[in-house]
Amino acid sequence: MNGPSVRIEVTGEVIALCPEVTTVGRGPGVDVLLDDPSVSRLHAEIIRRGPHLYVWDQGLSRNGTQVNGRPVGRHILQDGDVVRFGSAGVRIQNARALIEFTIETAAGPWDRDHTAELAMPDPPDLTRREWDVLRALSRPAGTPGAFVIPLSTRQMAEDLVVTEGAVKQHLLRLYRKFDIAPGSNRRGRLANEVVRLGLVRPEPVDSP
């Protein structure tokens, strides 16, 4: 099976995750159906952003969601993680393919192509408010992709209905988590990094 999937503990059934959002629950129409009374009808979502996955409980469930025994609201998932929706557990299968590239060398009897592999780095664990700040920061983009022009701290504060000071504190923690060095256009570099990693999908801005 290509792409990430989940293996249901009780039955051993393997279900491929949807390209963007996979719904999990006990009700009709969900993508991953868990027949357990502790599972809500729409319990949570597993979301794909580029090569990354995260689970989002959204507060819709009665009995909560845990990753490796730890209660979570929203949490980035790794290959092998056990996610428990109520009492029903699934194991994440997301052995991400490595990036492969070939170096061509000059022709000759002892020359040959060399192939190397690079693994995608794992993103840091983020709080719910840090996710909100990242989405607000990366929202204004002319087209999806890199070179994002971020909102100002005042605009983000108005968007999130918090103080500018709170936004600045969240940004300082995000700079550390994503290893954004001090310097000019630090917010822009952070915004473009999370877009590059596929954690945030910027929304195009309409032309005036």
Side-chain angles (χ1 to χ4, degrees), residues 36-126:
D36 187 294
S38 67
V39 178
S40 298
R41 293 169 64 83
L42 176 59
H43 196 105
E45 294 177 345
I46 298 175
I47 299 173
R48 293 174 66 176
R49 287 292 180 263
H52 308 293
L53 302 174
Y54 65 89
V55 64
W56 191 7
D57 184 275
Q58 301 187 61
L60 300 175
S61 66
R62 294 173 302 170
N63 297 311
T65 299
Q66 297 183 11
V67 176
N68 300 327
R70 174 187 169 190
V72 298
R74 183 163 25 188
H75 189 83
I76 292 175
L77 299 172
Q78 310 291 343
D79 182 42
D81 280 349
V82 175
V83 186
R84 202 160 294 281
F85 305 97
S87 299
V90 304
R91 184 175 293 275
I92 300 298
Q93 299 182 154
N94 186 31
R96 290 179 288 173
L98 299 178
I99 302 172
E100 185 177 280
F101 63 93
T102 300
I103 305 171
E104 294 185 359
T105 59
W110 305 107
D111 292 326
R112 62 180 180 179
D113 293 346
H114 300 276
T115 299
E117 292 179 335
L118 296 174
M120 288 291 291
D122 291 326
D125 196 11
L126 304 175

Side-chain angles (χ1 to χ4, degrees), residues 129 133 137 151-175 187:
R129 182 52 77 180
V133 170
L137 178 73
L151 290 177
S152 68
T153 53
R154 176 178 295 181
Q155 289 171 315
M156 283 191 287
E158 292 174 353
D159 191 32
L160 299 174
V161 197
V162 297
T163 66
E164 283 190 66
V167 170
K168 290 177 181 178
Q169 289 300 313
H170 288 303
L171 285 172
L172 286 174
R173 286 192 289 270
L174 288 166
Y175 295 146
R187 284 182 294 109

